[in-house]
Amino acid sequence: MTDALQDRNAQQRALWISTIAFTLCFAVWTIFAIIGIQIKKNLGLSETQFGLLVGTPILTGSLIRLALGVWTDQYGGRRVFTFVMLAAALATYLLTYAETYPQFLLAALGVGIAGGSFAVGVAYVSRWYEAGKQGTALGIFGAGNVGAAVTKFCAPFVMIAMGWKGVADVWAVALAAMAVIFWFTTKEDPVVAERRRAGVKPPSAWLEMAPLKNIQVWRFSLYYFFVFGGFVALALWLPQYLMNVYHVDLETAGMTAAMFSLPASLFRAYGGHLSDRYGARTVMYWTFLVAVLCTFILSYPPADYVVRTAHGATAFHIEMGLPGFIVTIFVLGFFMALGKAAVFKHIPVYYPKNVGAVGGLVGMIGGLGGFVLPIAFGALFDLTGLWTSCFMLLFLIVAGALAWMHFSIRQMEQGAIALEALPQLPEMQEIHTPAHVGALSGAVLQDWRPEDKTFWEKTGRAIARRNLWLSIPSLFLSFAVWQVWSVVVAKLPLVGFKYSTDQLFWLAALPGLTGATLRIFYSFMVPIFGGRLWTTLATWSLLIPAVGIGYAVQNPDTPYVVLLILALLCGFGGGNFASSMANISFFFPKAEKGNALALNAGLGNLGVSAVQFLVPLVIASGVFGWLGGAPETAGEGAKATTLWLQNAGFIWVPFIAISAFAAWFGMNDIASAKASFAEQAVIFSRRHNWIMCLLYTGTFGSFIGYSAGFPLLSKILFPQVDALQFAFLGPLVGALARSGTGWIADRWGGGRVTLGVFVGMMLGVLGVIYFIAIKDQPGAFWGFFGCFLFLFLMTGIGNASTFQMIPAIMRKEIARLEPQMDAAARTRQAEKESAAITGFTSAIAAYGAFFIPKSYGTSIGLTGGASGALWAFFAFYVICVVVTWAVYTRKGGLLHDVERAVATPSLAN
């Protein structure tokens, strides 16, 4: 492994492990937002006393940030971060021994140590990145604020099961374990490592704090007082606000408050990206403008008005309902996240040698906002009796910050010759130099040369990986929505829907029909519209079936045609695969393309397993409270259960929104990937396009078809077994096999691996047929299930190997068909055609999601059993074996020499 690759791995590891560690620290830091409500009841605390309790950890975590930041500059983030986590874990564990209010306050001071981790992480992470990438890196790290949402999502359920002490114990153990993981998986940052190697002593604490004398730093801190302090204060205050204003239970309050905490945390990463790309000043303007509007709306208390008109008095009532509150608080949280990232974009640029000290001070002031504001909220309520008074205070703070920032910029502009040279925040004018101008402006992707090693190592790989890791969640959700009916149809009869077996199989099969058809069109969309726009639109489209299913399944009288339409609309998820794979194929060089496509497809395929694992869990509990609607009573024999079947659709809604925003703000378009439909339509004249459609139908068509049909088929053949609890394992095995076995095709050749896969699938189908024949014997289900797991394993390996074949085939074919092209032109043409064929073959193969479940239903209807359909699948795999051997792998086949030339050197090693 080269030194450069080792450095990149250490850099990525430092960022992601630090982010996870900060997430857990933040979850511990805000633990009183949930357990404090029970403690308040137990001790009979007033609102002011409660505000002091939840704010005390914030006080500690804020005040120690300056000291921890300085220590990080001196001794290194790896040591200090580990110490902070262990100390906070111990304090959280000792919290369970507190009994009186003073003891709880003392324990809360110790829990607050977790909040100091932010200053440590900022200094540690920033030193791994150059100036042009620090905004994004620190934005990703700062997204660890999502720990507040983790506490709100999870703590209520843990508290119900184990009590508030159980929450403290679990959180303490998790944080201690993370400290150990952090110590053994990270390295010292490059600055500290070099200083130790050279034997240079760290600067004194007084020298580290020298920049703090600049008034600009203190003004800078006040911006953070609102965007971060206000976030923390609301994260702590909202659960009890919701319970008192909207009279919801604790679980619903926690889930609703998370609608603020989630965007206010996760989108910090994209705030860093926007600050890198468009400038932090622009981001700050939008943050303050939108925050002024949102806090003004939220400030308005319930009011009754009487207007005297010529026709008499007219009375009306003004009050914000819960849905409007959720939307407004979501928007406020989103822009707070952008503002947090924009503020911290400047610190490593202007103070590269004092990130710990300056970041510590800024974080301290912001954290103090999280301490002072909850107390102020409680005091204002006690004084005025208005719950909305907390938003009135926030409105005054942000309005003052916006006015101060704007007038400062206007004053600067009057003396500035070139406005583009202005610093991103006016407070930095005195220390702003030409070197800072480019560092704070965003870099736009201008060209793309992944085969150029220098370009790839310096610029390309990081961009390609970012697009890949943003594409995967979108594709994951697409598969989840596409296959949600595979689980829902098995539960419909339990909640009162009276449908025949054939009608249920139609519902399971129809998403495959539309998904496959849409893939044909989606295959060509990325070169026409661009990957960023199309991925965003395709992800937003998933909301239509997700929300529709959530409402439709609540009423057994819903017409069957409505459910058919919703099943068809779930095909939006199936279509996304074609465009996603085509888009990612443009980003990577041929040496890494197979692995990138395997990761995108394999981890995306996990959505099928996730839906079959998660949906049975979420429909068994009211995770959305009264917002999700009333449950249905389901009878299974003498046993009655309560089901929230609507959660099968609703559970994906927040994640779809997050993923769509992430795609829009984080992904890129590639100019050289643009092509019209006419340019791409040449693939219809390529015979290998049609051959690969056949082979990929055998692998992916089987994977998605078996995924869609297995739950219902198992329930029909083995009614005595609750097969739904195991159904997710098949798609899980297939998805992991696809993402983890791409190297096998790279090592031995896609053609040879595909040939072996089809032979294995023939054996797997014979096994399934055998166990169906003896299905009444003991253990028959487990044999049936084991054979299906083997089939899923084979499909996963085959999915990766067939896609590895396509670029190899087209590189050889374009050289033969277009000899007049130069090498660069042939490469571009092969890339474009490979991308189009990849998408088109996935479209044809996706019809397996329709034909396999429908074949089961037809076979059962005609013969009384499913064996007839399975014998047809066996015959199809025989055809695939013959075609793969005859066209590609035999001596003289298209890939025979290519694959052996690749494999031979490896055998020699």
Side-chain angles (χ1 to χ4, degrees):
M1 186 180 291
T2 64
D3 291 342
L5 184 56
Q6 288 178 333
D7 291 343
R8 278 197 305 275
N9 289 339
Q11 180 190 69
Q12 292 293 313
R13 196 161 54 245
L15 173 60
W16 292 108
I17 297 297
S18 297
T19 302
I20 296 170
F22 180 51
T23 301
L24 289 178
C25 285
F26 213 93
V28 169
W29 198 32
T30 56
I31 192 173
F32 279 98
I34 299 299
I35 69 172
I37 294 174
Q38 184 60 47
I39 294 171
K40 176 188 175 185
K41 290 181 180 177
N42 294 345
L43 300 180
L45 304 180
S46 68
E47 296 301 333
T48 303
Q49 288 176 314
F50 175 74
L52 180 60
L53 177 63
V54 299
T56 297
I58 311 305
L59 176 64
T60 309
S62 303
L63 292 178
I64 66 171
R65 285 184 173 189
L66 179 57
L68 290 175
V70 173
W71 290 346
T72 302
D73 283 341
Q74 291 184 304
Y75 305 114
R78 181 166 171 262
R79 293 182 179 182
V80 179
F81 213 148
T82 303
F83 166 76
V84 166
M85 285 188 280
L86 290 174
L90 177 62
T92 305
Y93 174 74
L94 294 176
L95 169 66
T96 59
Y97 292 94
E99 295 180 356
T100 65
Y101 184 61
Q103 289 175 346
F104 276 109
L105 290 178
L106 181 62
L109 287 171
V111 172
I113 295 172
S117 61
F118 178 73
V120 182
V122 166
Y124 178 66
V125 170
S126 66
R127 286 176 170 172
W128 287 97
Y129 290 86
E130 61 269 25
K133 296 181 180 179
Q134 284 173 337
T136 301
L138 292 179
I140 292 172
F141 170 76
N145 291 163
V146 76
V150 171
T151 290
K152 289 184 179 65
F153 270 122
C154 303
F157 299 102
V158 177
M159 192 161 73
I160 291 172
M162 303 172 63
W164 72 263
K165 291 185 178 181
V167 177
D169 288 337
V170 171
W171 267 230
V173 170
L175 192 58
M178 189 66 234
V180 175
I181 294 171
F182 183 85
W183 177 258
F184 286 106
T185 57
T186 58
K187 297 180 179 180
E188 289 293 358
D189 67 74
V191 174
V192 172
E194 176 60 25
R195 192 168 64 203
R196 289 179 183 169
R197 188 193 65 79
V200 178
K201 290 185 178 181
S204 69
W206 293 112
L207 188 59
E208 287 285 354
M209 292 191 288
L212 306 189
K213 66 183 180 181
N214 296 332
I215 190 63
Q216 295 92 345
V217 176
W218 293 89
R219 292 176 181 173
F220 197 15
S221 300
L222 292 179
Y223 290 118
Y224 205 58
F225 182 86
F226 171 76
V227 292
F228 178 74
F231 157 70
V232 174
L234 287 176
L236 296 170
W237 188 256
L238 279 178
Q240 79 155 352
Y241 180 94
L242 290 161
M243 293 174 68
N244 285 280
V245 175
Y246 294 105
H247 309 293
V248 299
D249 57 28
L250 177 60
E251 293 81 4
T252 303
M255 292 290 295
T256 307
M259 295 299 290
F260 167 76
S261 299
L262 271 176
S265 305
L266 293 179
F267 287 107
R268 184 167 183 163
Y270 304 104
H273 170 68
L274 291 175
S275 297
D276 281 341
R277 188 165 185 173
Y278 300 110
R281 189 201 313 151
T282 301
V283 176
M284 287 304 301
Y285 255 121
W286 276 106
T287 295
F288 286 154
L289 285 168
V290 174
V292 165
L293 178 62
C294 290
T295 52
F296 177 79
I297 294 172
L298 293 166
S299 297
Y300 212 86
D304 293 294
Y305 291 92
V306 176
V307 178
R308 301 188 184 281
T309 69
H311 304 289
T314 300
F316 59 92
H317 178 76
I318 295 178
E319 183 176 2
M320 176 173 281
L322 183 57
F325 180 85
I326 293 174
V327 172
T328 308
I329 208 73
F330 179 93
V331 173
L332 177 62
F334 173 76
F335 280 93
M336 277 183 159
L338 302 188
K340 285 184 284 185
V343 171
F344 262 86
K345 164 67 179 173
H346 296 76
I347 295 175
V349 175
Y350 285 108
Y351 302 100
K353 297 181 180 180
N354 306 97
V355 175
V358 177
L361 176 68
V362 173
M364 181 183 77
I365 298 298
L368 285 175
F371 169 72
V372 173
L373 289 174
I375 299 174
F377 292 166
L380 280 173
F381 173 76
D382 289 341
L383 181 65
T384 66
L386 293 174
W387 282 104
T388 59
S389 58
C390 60
F391 294 108
M392 296 177 185
L393 177 59
L394 290 176
F395 171 78
L396 293 176
I397 295 171
V398 69
L402 173 62
W404 173 65
M405 185 177 75
H406 178 69
F407 287 125
S408 297
I409 290 175
R410 291 293 297 169
Q411 185 177 8
M412 289 172 57
E413 287 177 342
Q414 293 175 4
I417 297 174
L419 299 186
E420 290 299 318
L422 287 178
Q424 292 299 321
L425 286 177
E427 294 72 30
M428 298 300 169
Q429 184 179 25
E430 294 179 15
I431 57 172
H432 190 74
T433 68
H436 295 124
V437 176
L440 292 173
S441 61
V444 179
L445 189 61
Q446 299 293 341
D447 68 331
W448 194 246
R449 292 170 282 115
E451 301 296 345
D452 182 332
K453 274 194 171 183
T454 302
F455 173 84
W456 180 249
E457 294 291 334
K458 184 178 179 181
T459 305
R461 178 181 275 112
I463 297 174
R465 285 182 174 177
R466 185 183 71 243
N467 280 269
L468 172 63
W469 291 109
L470 290 175
S471 171
I472 287 171
S474 176
L475 189 55
F476 177 94
L477 292 167
S478 297
F479 273 98
V481 171
W482 192 24
Q483 292 301 302
V484 71
W485 278 106
S486 68
V487 181
V488 172
V489 291
K491 296 294 185 181
L492 287 177
L494 301 179
V495 294
F497 288 84
K498 308 297 183 182
Y499 298 140
S500 67
T501 298
D502 191 54
Q503 285 178 310
L504 293 175
F505 270 117
W506 267 108
L507 288 174
L510 279 180
L513 181 65
T514 50
T517 304
L518 287 175
R519 283 188 179 194
I520 297 175
F521 300 99
Y522 280 37
S523 301
F524 306 100
M525 293 298 104
V526 169
I528 296 173
F529 293 99
R532 173 173 168 261
L533 174 60
W534 190 254
T535 301
T536 302
L537 293 176
T539 304
W540 278 122
S541 72
L542 302 176
L543 283 178
I544 301 173
V547 174
I549 290 172
Y551 284 111
V553 299
Q554 294 185 54
N555 184 2
D557 294 327
T558 301
Y560 181 64
V561 67
V562 173
L563 299 186
L564 288 176
I565 292 172
L566 288 171
L568 288 169
L569 290 174
C570 282
F572 285 144
N576 289 359
F577 180 83
S579 56
S580 179
M581 295 297 283
N583 183 44
I584 293 303
S585 70
F586 285 114
F587 279 95
F588 287 83
K590 61 183 180 182
E592 300 185 31
K593 194 183 298 290
N595 186 54
L597 291 176
L599 284 172
N600 190 53
L603 297 180
N605 287 168
L606 282 176
V608 180
S609 179
V611 78
Q612 294 181 350
F613 173 77
L614 186 61
V615 166
L617 297 178
V618 299
I619 65 176
S621 61
V623 294
F624 293 105
W626 67 269
L627 286 172
E632 295 287 339
T633 299
E636 293 182 332
K639 182 180 179 182
T641 59
T642 301
L643 293 180
W644 287 263
L645 195 57
Q646 59 269 31
N647 290 351
F650 289 153
I651 192 64
W652 310 109
V653 171
F655 301 104
I656 290 169
I658 291 169
S659 184
F661 276 118
W664 179 252
F665 289 111
M667 296 187 75
N668 297 97
D669 293 323
I670 301 175
S672 60
K674 292 290 186 179
S676 66
F677 175 79
E679 291 176 294
Q680 299 175 78
V682 67
I683 67 168
F684 297 124
S685 65
R686 309 300 194 203
R687 75 185 186 99
H688 292 286
N689 173 49
W690 302 104
I691 295 172
M692 291 310 300
C693 284
L694 173 74
L695 301 185
Y696 195 56
T697 298
T699 58
F700 179 77
S702 297
F703 167 80
I704 201 64
Y706 291 149
S707 299
F710 178 77
L712 188 55
L713 179 66
S714 301
K715 189 172 182 64
I716 291 172
L717 295 178
F718 300 93
Q720 73 279 12
V721 179
D722 184 10
L724 271 183
Q725 61 181 314
F726 307 111
F728 76 95
L729 289 174
L732 177 64
V733 168
L736 292 178
R738 179 171 195 163
S739 59
T741 61
W743 64 272
I744 297 178
D746 289 336
R747 169 72 169 78
W748 296 100
R752 291 197 287 179
V753 174
T754 301
L755 183 67
V757 161
F758 284 128
V759 173
M761 293 176 71
M762 292 166 56
L763 297 175
V765 169
L766 290 176
V768 172
I769 293 172
Y770 171 77
F771 285 106
I772 288 178
I774 62 168
K775 65 184 180 69
D776 295 325
Q777 296 186 18
F781 171 77
W782 297 111
F784 167 85
F785 182 60
C787 289
F788 259 111
L789 284 184
F790 178 74
L791 280 171
F792 276 111
L793 174 66
M794 289 294 101
T795 63
I797 298 172
N799 288 339
S801 64
T802 47
F803 266 14
Q804 194 271 353
M805 293 169 65
I806 293 174
I809 293 169
M810 294 316 298
R811 283 194 294 270
K812 196 166 182 180
E813 280 291 279
I814 294 300
R816 180 181 67 85
L817 296 170
E818 308 289 349
Q820 75 282 1
M821 290 184 176
D822 58 36
R826 283 200 300 269
T827 298
R828 287 194 298 270
Q829 185 65 22
E831 292 291 318
K832 286 183 179 180
E833 292 194 26
S834 295
I837 291 174
T838 295
F840 185 73
T841 55
S842 74
I844 300 302
Y847 281 107
F850 169 74
F851 284 112
I852 287 181
K854 192 64 187 75
S855 296
Y856 290 150
T858 301
S859 179
I860 292 171
L862 294 177
T863 67
S867 296
L870 290 161
W871 279 114
F873 303 158
F874 177 85
F876 180 75
Y877 298 146
V878 171
I879 295 172
C880 291
V881 167
V882 173
V883 171
T884 304
W885 177 81
V887 180
Y888 298 115
T889 63
R890 67 177 176 83
K891 190 173 183 178
L894 186 67
L895 297 179
H896 179 274
D897 295 336
V898 174
E899 294 186 345
R900 277 156 181 76
V902 171
T904 300
S906 299
L907 291 172
N909 288 335

